[in-house]
Amino acid sequence: PPSPPSPPLVGSSTAALPMEIEPVAEPTADETDAIYALAKPKGGQDRSFQRDAIRRICAYQGISLVKAPPGCGKTTIFIAVIGKLITKIHATRHAVQGNATPRLAFLTAPYIDHAKQILDRLKGVLSKEFGQCWREVVEFVGDNNLPTLDELKAKVRAGRVRVFVSTDKSASLLLPLAEYADRLGHPLLCVKDEVHYNSEHDSDSTKLLLLANESKGDYAIACTATPNADVMNLPDLQIALDFPLQEAIDRGFCAPYEVILPLITELGDDEQLPIEARKLAKRDRLGACALFCVGGMLRDGKRRCIAYASDKTAAGNLKGFLEEACAFHGADCEAVVITEDTNNREPLYADFQTGETHTRIFGGRDRLDLGKSKLHFLIGVKILDQCIDIPATDSILFSSPPTTRGVVE
């Protein structure tokens, strides 16, 4: 769908800022390149539009939007901005360094996996400033043992922690903490990744962005591939990057794709199926869905699929039907259900990405070895629809009709 009309780029002038604020200077080309190199993932491509976006954000106090499809490096952009703005020699609201209030960063992401990925990506830029102790300046708010607000306030007063990372759910802690830091005079850098998630202006994670005050020298970054009306109506929004989907596909940043729908035109269509498949298809709608998906994957040479179900019960049922459908087609099946309750997910993601796609069957003496296709499935409800970096997938299955346009996007 076409994007909403973009507001014009908004310039900022440090001359309008109160005299006690020391504005952060826009990074020079050399500074941006150095920070950018540390922010990129290992082996990441050099993309000039990312450097341009970094400069625009650092030159504008207020909310900046980074709009780009998956694979274009939105994370790299805001990690580089953090590397520029969170430094040992920091901008402060007080000219006297003895009464310094350093800039603090508050980052939110929809789910814990995504928040942990952001935490890992901070290492490069923060190590440059804080050395091997970089982890001591970051507080992760999202594990099972959450700190209390009073404990977090104590860390702000102690002055050691400079970056706070949380899930969207834990933004209920981050918001009052950021308000407290603001009252103490700390300049803010607020980042919301996947800003379309809980985008209402009364959600805690969006309120963090709204704390950013141009007159106080604050910065905020909103990142998404699919901004909605709530996002586009953020006050004084600067469009730091608006990268087209087709260009992302043409340049190989994300994969071309096609949507395939199972079309049934007459009630008797399933009579053309073999009897075993007909029984599976008639027993449950998910059975028909699994048959369609597995058959298409084998026909087109696909081997890894992320599948979505309507709820946890349907996800468990879909796993069984996918296993049956693979058995019908003579293929092996590795299907895993991922929910919010699933611990130690990283090994499951790794197995999905790197697992063998063929099972070797030894023929024995004087007989040829045979190969058997093996399909891999990650099945979830919502946990897989936001920000999980799983590059080695070639298929996506919606086992029930999406209920919102955002899911389709």
Side-chain angles (χ1 to χ4, degrees):
S3 300
S6 301
L9 291 179
V10 181
S12 61
S13 172
T14 57
L17 299 177
M19 292 302 293
E20 69 270 16
I21 299 175
E22 297 173 9
V24 176
E26 183 177 356
T28 65
D30 289 344
E31 288 174 334
T32 299
D33 289 345
I35 296 167
Y36 175 61
L38 294 169
K40 285 190 302 182
K42 186 176 181 181
Q45 297 176 341
D46 191 353
R47 301 169 181 174
S48 60
F49 65 84
Q50 290 177 317
R51 291 195 298 272
D52 293 340
I54 294 165
R55 294 190 186 99
R56 291 191 190 105
I57 294 169
C58 291
Y60 180 71
Q61 280 102 17
I63 306 175
S64 296
L65 175 66
V66 177
K67 174 184 175 292
C72 292
K74 297 184 291 293
T75 303
T76 295
I77 291 170
F78 72 73
I79 292 294
V81 173
I82 292 169
K84 165 60 184 174
L85 299 182
I86 305 298
T87 59
K88 281 184 177 178
I89 303 174
H90 45 259
T92 171
R93 288 188 188 168
H94 301 279
V96 181
Q97 289 293 318
N99 191 25
T101 49
R103 186 180 305 280
L104 303 182
F106 298 87
L107 289 71
T108 64
Y111 295 111
I112 194 166
D113 286 338
H114 182 202
K116 287 182 176 178
Q117 289 169 359
I118 292 175
L119 178 64
D120 292 339
R121 291 288 298 275
L122 287 168
K123 180 179 179 180
V125 295
L126 293 183
S127 294
K128 176 179 180 293
E129 288 295 323
F130 302 97
Q132 295 181 349
C133 299
W134 74 272
R135 188 62 181 82
E136 296 178 13
V137 304
V138 182
E139 179 73 15
F140 187 79
V141 184
D143 286 323
N144 293 330
N145 298 319
L146 287 176
T148 66
L149 179 57
D150 286 340
E151 290 171 337
L152 291 173
K153 287 180 176 179
K155 293 188 176 185
V156 169
R157 291 193 300 271
R160 181 60 176 167
V161 176
R162 303 289 301 281
V163 180
F164 296 85
V165 182
S166 88
T167 60
D168 191 90
K169 183 177 181 180
S170 297
S172 57
L173 271 176
L174 239 59
L175 177 61
L177 182 66
E179 291 171 337
Y180 175 73
D182 183 61
R183 290 194 298 271
L184 294 181
H186 291 273
L188 305 180
L189 167 59
C190 301
V191 180
K192 181 173 181 178
D193 206 357
E194 305 300 327
V195 67
H196 60 273
Y197 182 86
N198 282 348
S199 61
E200 298 84 2
H201 289 196
D202 59 354
S203 72
D204 290 338
S205 54
T206 304
K207 284 181 178 179
L208 272 171
L209 295 178
L210 297 174
L211 275 181
N213 189 318
E214 178 183 352
S215 67
K216 295 186 295 186
D218 297 337
Y219 296 79
I221 307 172
C223 297
T224 181
T226 53
N228 55 21
D230 287 332
V231 174
M232 299 309 297
N233 287 329
L234 290 168
D236 299 322
L237 185 68
Q238 173 192 217
I239 310 299
L241 176 65
D242 186 354
F243 203 87
L245 173 60
Q246 189 57 54
E247 184 174 351
I249 293 174
D250 293 343
R251 295 176 65 172
F253 300 158
C254 54
Y257 65 92
E258 59 178 337
V259 178
I260 304 174
L261 299 175
L263 298 179
I264 299 176
T265 57
E266 296 181 8
L267 293 177
D269 278 1
D270 61 353
E271 297 300 323
Q272 306 302 318
L273 295 172
I275 187 167
E276 296 89 346
R278 196 184 317 159
K279 289 179 179 178
L280 177 58
K282 284 188 172 182
R283 192 165 85 239
D284 191 283
R285 180 186 57 78
L286 288 177
C289 176
L291 275 172
F292 174 80
C293 177
V294 170
M297 289 178 67
L298 290 171
R299 181 189 66 239
D300 295 335
K302 311 302 182 184
R303 293 296 181 265
R304 308 179 201 276
C305 176
I306 298 174
Y308 296 95
S310 57
D311 53 43
K312 291 181 181 179
T313 300
N317 293 338
L318 180 59
K319 178 179 184 293
F321 285 124
L322 286 168
E323 291 170 343
E324 288 189 55
C326 285
F328 168 77
H329 284 285
D332 284 339
C333 179
E334 184 71 34
V336 177
V337 176
I338 306 286
T339 70
E340 292 180 346
D341 301 324
T342 305
N343 296 318
N344 300 320
R345 297 174 196 149
E346 285 77 11
L348 300 178
Y349 298 153
D351 290 344
F352 174 78
Q353 295 180 80
T354 61
E356 294 291 339
T357 56
H358 284 84
T359 302
R360 187 177 181 185
I361 304 173
F362 294 96
R365 186 174 180 180
D366 299 327
R367 298 180 65 182
L368 293 174
D369 292 346
L370 300 176
K372 190 177 183 182
S373 296
K374 184 175 183 179
L375 306 188
H376 296 262
F377 296 91
L378 280 182
I379 307 168
V381 182
K382 288 185 177 179
I383 199 66
L384 292 174
D385 70 354
Q386 294 281 347
C387 332
I388 306 301
D389 287 337
I390 307 177
T393 188
D394 50 38
S395 304
I396 296 175
L397 166 65
F398 291 99
S399 64
S400 58
T403 57
T404 67
R405 188 184 71 173
V407 172
V408 176
E409 291 170 345

